Amino acid sequence: FVLVNLEVVMGDLSPEFKESQIQLRKLCNGDVDRPLRIEIFDWNRNGVHQHMGLVETCVREIMTRPSFEVKYKNKKKKGTLAVEIADVIRVPTAVNYILGGCEISLMVAIDFTGSNGNPFEPGTLHYRDPDGVPNEYQAAIAA
């Protein structure tokens, strides 16, 4: 299946593509040694794009090698795919923060008392003033 389509570079048999990002999980399910196939095509207006060759590699190799041989069907070298920048950017999750020692305090209160009145009627304890004036509960929480 096609995972990423880079932009089309017209009239250039040695194109330079813009930098792009993809989640490691989406690219290789987080496995940097999982085989990847990079296929290169020459775009044609009629929709029949000419296969120019392919590179079989993995993320680990992309991170450590500056270039790869592009091979065609008969396994002959057809060209070179150069990688200028390849970085894995780690984005911490909430679990990472907690495992790192971050402490989270959470307080929740739900008042189901029906005698407090309708929050849309002035004078009730839960009234939500359209001008933003806090009700008795909001004032107590803000104190």
Side-chain angles (χ1 to χ4, degrees):
F1 72 98
V2 176
L3 182 66
V4 178
N5 264 338
L6 295 178
E7 77 275 10
V8 175
V9 178
M10 303 294 285
D12 190 347
L13 292 178
S14 297
E16 290 191 22
F17 299 99
K18 296 176 188 169
E19 185 176 319
S20 62
Q21 295 182 3
I22 186 168
Q23 292 180 355
L24 193 61
R25 182 181 37 156
K26 186 176 179 184
L27 181 64
C28 60
N29 202 29
D31 179 1
V32 295
D33 295 312
R34 186 176 188 167
L36 298 176
R37 175 181 276 195
I38 302 169
E39 295 194 63
I40 300 140
F41 291 86
D42 185 18
W43 185 87
N44 289 312
R45 180 172 277 112
N46 65 6
V48 181
H49 311 306
Q50 181 182 358
H51 188 258
M52 300 297 289
L54 64 89
V55 172
E56 291 181 329
T57 186
C58 66
V59 171
R60 186 180 307 279
E61 283 186 340
I62 291 172
M63 299 287 295
T64 58
R65 289 180 52 192
S67 64
F68 300 88
E69 285 186 5
V70 177
K71 295 182 179 177
Y72 195 59
K73 292 177 187 175
N74 56 11
K75 304 292 183 190
K76 286 186 178 178
K77 180 179 176 183
K78 181 94 177 206
T80 303
L81 174 67
V83 178
E84 291 182 11
I85 300 171
D87 284 325
V88 174
I89 301 168
R90 302 204 186 278
V91 179
T93 65
V95 172
N96 296 131
Y97 282 108
I98 293 169
L99 291 174
C102 178
E103 294 181 20
I104 298 173
S105 297
L106 175 67
M107 289 190 290
V108 177
I110 301 173
D111 185 355
F112 289 107
T113 309
S115 62
N116 290 333
N118 185 338
F120 298 105
E121 293 179 14
T124 61
L125 292 174
H126 293 287
Y127 177 62
R128 299 184 74 189
D129 190 290
D131 295 327
V133 177
N135 62 36
E136 291 181 43
Y137 284 108
Q138 291 171 321
I141 292 170

